[in-house]
Amino acid sequence: MTTTNRATSTSWLNGSGQLRLRTPSAPAARSAPDRFLGLVSAIHRYLPSPLRRRVPVSFIGYALINGSGFFLDIACLWFLYERLHWFYPLAVTVGYAIAGTYSLLLNRWLNFQSHGHLVAQGTRYAVGLVSQYVIFILGLSSLLHWMGMGAELARVLSACCEGVYLYAVTRLWVFRDSPEPEPLTH
């Protein structure tokens, strides 16, 4: 690495040998993944200390992305079923697929900052989504409801389990080659 420091500029050679120049009056723009890591790191700092040691930064990012993906799923369902009058199972499936794609791409780009093969990661993520659907959305929520729990409470409890399950699948299998990001300290 070559550096030149002057009062007005800083230059260096990046990893590919290209010369970069940054002046103090025009600081380098932070990338979207860097800003996202800053946000999840700030949230992570507010967790109680015992919880902060156990909850990875990427779990907070996953919760933000997949939580917003849930709202996208519901919005698609509403639009496709209520406005376009699609067959309900088709509207549910298309909304779930759109939200799943959204979650995969944003987790890949912002949260795990992965550069692995998209098709391989997408295939593993699809397996995770299908298994999550069968195990938790159909299986666990139906079992809890059959045992006498109200349908809504059964669905909420199964949603909590499915969130942890899909995070584990995403972290340990889909983006297994991406290191856990270190929280930013400011």
Side-chain angles (χ1 to χ4, degrees):
M1 175 182 277
T2 302
T3 60
T4 304
N5 292 320
R6 294 192 178 110
T8 59
S9 68
T10 302
S11 63
W12 70 93
L13 292 177
N14 68 11
S16 61
Q18 297 170 324
L19 182 65
R20 299 287 187 143
L21 179 65
R22 181 178 60 203
T23 62
S25 60
R30 290 179 50 201
S31 68
D34 290 339
R35 288 190 302 268
F36 186 76
L37 180 58
L39 171 67
V40 296
S41 295
I43 294 169
H44 191 260
R45 282 192 298 274
Y46 284 106
L47 295 176
S49 183
L51 190 57
R52 191 176 329 123
R53 286 191 295 269
R54 289 181 173 82
V55 174
V57 172
S58 63
F59 182 79
I60 295 169
Y62 164 85
L64 290 173
I65 290 169
N66 285 46
S68 65
F70 174 75
F71 289 112
L72 176 61
D73 184 2
I74 297 302
C76 289
L77 174 61
W78 172 83
F79 181 73
L80 297 172
Y81 181 69
E82 295 292 336
R83 294 291 178 219
L84 297 183
H85 307 290
W86 284 20
F87 181 56
Y88 182 77
L90 180 61
V92 168
T93 303
V94 170
Y96 193 70
I98 290 170
T101 303
Y102 162 88
S103 295
L104 168 68
L105 294 176
L106 286 186
N107 271 304
R108 181 180 199 277
W109 177 43
L110 297 174
N111 196 29
F112 296 103
Q113 299 180 25
S114 176
H115 302 288
H117 194 268
L118 179 59
V119 173
Q121 291 173 340
T123 301
R124 290 190 297 262
Y125 195 77
V127 168
L129 283 177
V130 169
S131 64
Q132 165 199 330
Y133 183 80
V134 171
I135 295 167
F136 296 103
I137 295 174
L138 294 179
L140 181 60
S141 65
S142 297
L143 175 67
L144 293 173
H145 184 64
W146 177 78
M147 294 173 57
M149 186 176 287
E152 294 80 11
L153 181 58
R155 183 62 189 101
V156 167
L157 288 176
S158 69
C160 293
C161 295
E162 75 186 58
V164 172
Y165 169 81
L166 190 58
Y167 171 75
V169 167
T170 303
R171 171 75 256 158
L172 300 174
W173 190 41
V174 176
F175 301 117
R176 62 182 175 228
D177 297 330
S178 300
E180 177 66 27
E182 291 295 321
L184 297 178
T185 55
H186 285 73

